[in-house]
Amino acid sequence: MEAKQLQSEEQLYPLHREPQSQSHSPAYQALLRAGPRVRPLQQVHAQIIVLGKYRNLAIITKLLTLACAAGSISYTRCLFLTVPNPDSFLFNSLIKGSSKFAFSNDAIFFYRRMLLANISPSNYTFTSVIKACADLSASRLGRGIHSHVLVCGYGSDSFVQAALVTFYAKTGDLEFARKLFDKMPERTVVAWNSMISGYEQNGFSKEAIGLFYQMREWGIKPDSTTFVSVLSACAQLGAIGLGCWVHDFVISNGFDVNVVLGTSFINMFSRCGNVTKAREVFDLMSEWNVIAWTAMISGYGMHGYGKEAMELFGKMRIHGPRPNNVTFVAVLSACAHAGLIQEGRCAFGSMRKEFGLVPGVEHHVCMVDMFGRAGLLNDAHAFIKELNPRELTPAIWTAMLGACKMHKNFDLGVEVAEHLLAVEPENPGHYVLLSNIYAVTGKMDRVELVRNLMIRRGLKKQVGYSTIEVDQKTYLFSMGDKSHPETNEVYRYLDKLMSRCREAGYVPAPESVMHELEEEEREYALRYHSEKLAIAFGLLKTSSGVAIRIVKNLRMCEDCHSAIKYISIVSNREIIIRDKLRFHHFNDGSCSCLDYW
């Protein structure tokens, strides 16, 4: 009778959760010893079957979550499909594990199976599956799950709300993300981080920093995740003042500068013009991964320190992790900016021979750029001819066109430009370069044709702007901009500054204006370029001896480059400018790029 009763209970409850004490059973302990390793887990799985523990849901759940953590999602799914009656704990464990270990599609699969099993999701479920939708940028699916959240009554749960903020921010709907954020009655540090990160990742760095200041005003203590996003925003804006404050705060408050945070500091200091400080951070880190090494090499490259970049790359090959494709982009870019042709050739050749890496578009662009900058246009053209048609992307031709303009090879430049217009007719930059080339050769009728073509197609030149940070506040200037409240003072100061530069020997470059500007009065347009306005404002608002740091969204024109050399003399200031291509350190009448940019 007792045996029959036990059998019927097993039929009614084929799988069951044993008391907590059973977690100390030999099978469970064997799973713990196996850890997230597929082969040992499969061996324990076999033991579980032999011991008859395959009906123990606690043990099966542990096996599944460890298999997922081991990265074997196919094994996890196959094993899951053998479980007859999975419960909510098992589903939640799988959904969370899949989402955490970047198996986002599988997290959604387990969520759907959970609904088919008529098991109600919890806030735990929704938090994980919404994260999976965010990682996949699955906008439509995520919105559907948001509706399910509201139906199930979890719309006011702080963890679910934070996940939704992340989801909408990652899928680009920042306005709705901010509405959700503002309505949250309790904003955890996770919610603040989600919104700050959303702004930063979508290019709204100023808003990200503004929200960080608000976070501090509300008394919310930031964590490492907060600082990673804020440092990235500082890097984009060139906001070194705030970046230095974050560094001091992290050190004084005993934060662990792990590889992620350390790399963020390296990027921030490098992109804000202080590559020496970036190297100090790099040297003090307790561990380095390939991203950290690459960030430091890239930092040297963008400042034109090609030899330092190659030296560090050499150390990485001996002592560091295996370089990847991104590392080689950084190395080749450093060689291009420093004119290290032979070193660049060797590095490119080692990609396949030494590391088995296949060069991509970025590497080809770097090689063309490297040859082109050095005036080796025949080498650049020969390199392009060796590529197959699928590898001939617009970016490669753009690099070639820039080299033709730089070295005034106008016949080849026209050929390249016309090819570019055929493959990428909606890019206004190509028309501008072609117009400039025609203008230099005196073919003004062609200049007019190109510009009329731009007008007919509704294409406009990209507006140039420069930013400068003063007292941890970022100011933006564009050419001829008069929106700043201190415009009159800035313009008067700049006029006096340029007069002093003329006395020191500066002569405006009208040729540059003729080809790169259109309707503005020539010298007026030159004088009031955005970087000159930003420099004048910086000199007005900072103390003697303080370096002026500018970030510009376009390549600096030849006239500004010449003028700023003289400004560095008459103001006795170091001026650091990050333009679209690289850093320029102006000091005492010379530039670190040696006019090679």
Side-chain angles (χ1 to χ4, degrees):
M1 183 71 179
E2 185 178 347
K4 287 183 180 180
Q5 187 176 355
L6 285 173
Q7 186 179 10
S8 63
E9 284 179 355
E10 281 196 359
Q11 289 170 346
L12 186 61
Y13 305 106
L15 288 168
H16 61 285
R17 292 202 171 276
E18 296 188 6
Q20 189 174 1
S21 60
Q22 291 300 313
S23 65
H24 300 292
S25 67
Y28 198 91
Q29 290 299 309
L31 283 173
L32 294 180
R33 286 193 298 271
R37 295 175 296 161
V38 177
R39 193 66 182 271
L41 284 173
Q42 290 174 332
Q43 292 172 348
V44 177
H45 184 190
Q47 294 175 22
I48 289 170
I49 295 172
V50 170
L51 294 171
K53 294 289 186 178
Y54 57 90
R55 293 182 180 276
N56 186 310
L57 200 50
I59 290 176
I60 293 299
T61 299
K62 189 65 177 177
L63 174 59
L64 281 163
T65 54
L66 285 171
C68 182
S72 182
I73 196 65
S74 57
Y75 175 42
T76 305
R77 285 181 68 146
C78 289
L79 181 55
F80 164 77
L81 294 173
T82 67
V83 180
N85 292 305
D87 63 2
S88 61
F89 183 80
L90 187 148
F91 273 116
N92 283 325
S93 298
L94 284 175
I95 293 168
K96 181 183 179 183
S98 300
S99 179
K100 178 181 179 182
F101 295 108
F103 300 116
S104 302
N105 284 310
D106 296 277
I108 293 166
F109 165 78
F110 292 126
Y111 169 74
R112 287 173 169 159
R113 293 299 295 251
M114 185 179 192
L115 300 184
L116 289 173
N118 289 321
I119 296 176
S120 298
S122 64
N123 59 342
Y124 191 88
T125 316
F126 285 124
T127 301
S128 297
V129 77
I130 291 168
K131 178 185 179 299
C133 291
D135 292 340
L136 291 170
S137 294
S139 179
R140 186 175 178 182
L141 176 61
R143 290 173 187 272
I145 293 174
H146 186 184
S147 299
H148 196 194
V149 165
L150 300 176
V151 169
C152 293
Y154 290 105
S156 59
D157 182 89
S158 62
F159 295 101
V160 175
Q161 287 176 329
L164 285 168
V165 169
T166 302
F167 163 73
Y168 283 105
K170 278 195 173 183
T171 52
D173 194 344
L174 287 171
E175 185 177 352
F176 194 73
R178 186 58 189 262
K179 284 181 180 178
L180 285 176
F181 177 81
D182 289 340
K183 289 179 181 178
M184 291 179 68
E186 295 183 17
R187 299 173 195 166
T188 62
V189 67
V190 175
W192 286 93
N193 288 347
S194 298
M195 198 65 240
I196 292 170
S197 174
Y199 277 134
E200 180 272 317
Q201 291 179 1
N202 284 278
F204 295 94
S205 298
K206 193 172 182 179
E207 288 78 2
I209 289 174
L211 193 60
F212 172 67
Y213 285 137
Q214 186 180 335
M215 179 184 185
R216 288 173 58 195
E217 289 171 5
W218 282 43
I220 306 298
K221 188 176 181 181
D223 59 14
S224 292
T225 303
T226 318
F227 290 134
V228 168
S229 296
V230 170
L231 289 168
S232 181
C234 290
Q236 290 179 34
L237 291 175
I240 194 167
L242 176 57
C244 289
W245 180 90
V246 170
H247 185 257
D248 292 342
F249 184 91
V250 164
I251 300 302
S252 61
N253 285 273
F255 277 77
D256 175 29
V257 183
N258 57 28
V259 69
V260 176
L261 187 55
T263 302
S264 297
F265 278 122
I266 292 169
N267 281 323
M268 184 276 295
F269 281 121
S270 294
R271 291 181 63 80
C272 288
N274 195 338
V275 71
T276 301
K277 188 67 175 177
R279 183 58 190 264
E280 288 178 12
V281 172
F282 179 84
D283 289 340
L284 289 172
M285 288 170 62
S286 57
E287 60 172 325
W288 303 268
N289 60 11
V290 66
I291 301 173
W293 282 89
T294 301
M296 193 62 245
I297 292 169
S298 178
Y300 276 133
M302 71 175 72
H303 285 267
Y305 300 141
K307 291 182 179 178
E308 289 82 353
M310 294 307 296
E311 180 184 341
L312 191 62
F313 179 58
K315 290 182 179 178
M316 180 183 182
R317 294 169 72 167
I318 298 171
H319 305 293
R322 181 184 177 85
N324 60 19
N325 277 314
V326 180
T327 312
F328 277 99
V329 170
V331 170
L332 294 173
S333 178
C335 292
H337 285 301
L340 301 176
I341 309 303
Q342 188 56 38
E343 291 85 344
R345 288 182 189 273
C346 291
F348 184 79
S350 72
M351 285 187 68
R352 288 183 186 273
K353 293 178 182 178
E354 188 175 345
F355 299 100
L357 298 172
V358 178
V361 171
E362 299 88 351
H363 308 96
H364 297 148
V365 170
C366 284
M367 291 297 289
V368 173
D369 187 42
M370 181 183 74
F371 290 133
R373 285 177 188 277
L376 303 174
L377 298 184
N378 291 334
D379 291 58
H381 206 203
F383 182 87
I384 289 174
K385 287 180 179 178
E386 291 178 2
L387 300 175
N388 65 54
R390 288 177 298 176
E391 295 173 324
L392 291 175
T393 63
I396 289 173
W397 290 112
T398 301
M400 187 70 207
L401 181 58
C404 291
K405 177 177 179 287
M406 181 187 300
H407 295 286
K408 297 180 170 53
N409 187 326
F410 304 122
D411 292 336
L412 181 57
V414 169
E415 177 188 330
V416 172
E418 290 176 346
H419 178 85
L420 262 176
L421 293 180
V423 297
E424 206 172 42
E426 301 305 317
N427 189 329
H430 305 331
Y431 295 84
V432 173
L433 273 174
L434 179 56
S435 172
N436 294 343
I437 288 173
Y438 281 140
V440 171
T441 57
K443 299 177 180 178
M444 301 311 296
D445 57 331
R446 298 288 184 93
V447 172
E448 195 67 23
L449 283 172
V450 172
R451 291 181 179 177
N452 288 336
L453 185 59
M454 288 183 70
I455 293 170
R456 287 200 303 271
R457 293 184 174 178
L459 302 174
K460 294 183 179 180
K461 292 171 64 177
Q462 187 178 359
V463 176
Y465 64 84
S466 297
T467 60
I468 181 172
E469 186 198 51
V470 176
D471 295 330
Q472 294 189 19
K473 185 175 181 181
T474 301
Y475 299 86
L476 184 145
F477 294 88
S478 56
M479 187 177 70
D481 182 18
K482 295 186 178 180
S483 62
H484 194 275
E486 298 178 69
T487 289
N488 292 335
E489 186 181 0
V490 171
Y491 275 62
R492 281 196 300 269
Y493 184 86
L494 180 56
D495 287 340
K496 292 178 182 177
L497 189 64
M498 296 313 298
S499 295
R500 293 170 63 193
C501 288
R502 277 180 173 275
E503 292 171 3
Y506 160 68
V507 177
E511 181 182 315
S512 173
V513 181
M514 184 189 304
H515 310 319
E516 297 182 12
L517 302 177
E518 294 179 11
E519 299 175 356
E520 294 84 359
E521 189 272 321
R522 302 303 188 209
E523 188 171 346
Y524 175 91
L526 270 182
R527 176 168 295 186
Y528 301 119
H529 273 194
S530 63
E531 56 265 58
K532 291 192 181 86
L533 291 170
I535 289 169
F537 179 76
L539 291 173
L540 268 171
K541 295 297 180 180
T542 59
S543 304
S544 175
V546 175
I548 303 297
R549 301 173 188 272
I550 308 291
V551 175
K552 182 175 172 66
N553 69 322
L554 301 178
R555 180 184 185 271
M556 198 185 324
C557 76
E558 293 177 18
D559 177 78
C560 282
H561 195 267
S562 173
I564 296 168
K565 289 180 183 177
Y566 285 95
I567 293 174
S568 72
I569 294 173
V570 300
S571 65
N572 194 26
R573 295 280 197 103
E574 180 184 12
I575 301 171
I576 302 168
I577 298 185
R578 185 182 94 205
D579 73 0
K580 185 179 180 180
L581 301 180
R582 60 167 296 159
F583 270 90
H584 301 263
H585 294 252
F586 296 92
N587 210 337
D588 197 24
S590 64
C591 179
S592 60
C593 78
L594 301 177
D595 299 337
Y596 189 84
W597 90 104

